[in-house]
Amino acid sequence: MENYFASSINRLRITGVLEGISLLILICIGLPLKYIMKISGVIKFIGPIHGAIFLLFIFLSIGVASEYNWKRKMLFKILLASFIPFGTFYINKKILSKI
């Protein structure tokens, strides 16, 4: 398992999964609790965590793109996926797992 984290692609893949999970928690659990049940604790807790993971994903994407000499179109697809629910899972499966 130690060598798995040594690869920048694998770190990006893990961060993508974490980013996707945190986004889904915000959308599927946090928002209904906040707007239907008037409980904003989940948003206040998960929101900053998601923000930090999101920024880490962006920085790792740019670093990996530079390391692997990706074209801007590839980087754009990966960054766009981070804004779409399930997008990072799709990118992980279709692009990053094949590199």
Side-chain angles (χ1 to χ4, degrees):
M1 185 66 93
E2 180 179 324
N3 292 335
Y4 188 79
F5 295 108
S7 166
S8 59
I9 288 286
N10 288 338
R11 285 191 299 271
L12 180 61
R13 291 181 71 197
I14 292 167
T15 306
V17 169
L18 293 174
E19 195 274 337
I21 291 170
S22 67
L23 179 61
L24 290 175
I25 290 171
L26 278 174
I27 292 172
C28 296
I29 297 172
L31 290 179
L33 284 175
K34 181 177 180 178
Y35 291 109
I36 296 171
M37 301 185 74
K38 307 297 184 209
I39 301 170
S40 62
V42 174
I43 297 284
K44 289 181 180 178
F45 179 72
I46 297 294
I49 293 171
H50 169 71
I53 296 171
F54 175 76
L55 289 175
L56 180 61
F57 182 79
I58 298 296
F59 291 133
L60 285 175
S61 296
I62 293 168
V64 170
S66 175
E67 180 181 341
Y68 285 84
N69 296 317
W70 286 347
K71 296 184 186 229
R72 288 184 182 177
K73 185 176 180 181
M74 171 79 85
L75 178 60
F76 178 74
K77 284 181 187 179
I78 290 174
L79 294 178
L80 180 63
S82 66
F83 289 96
I84 302 169
F86 299 103
T88 55
F89 302 123
Y90 177 81
I91 290 296
N92 191 5
K93 179 77 172 170
K94 296 293 182 180
I95 296 176
L96 298 178
S97 66
K98 297 176 182 177
I99 296 177

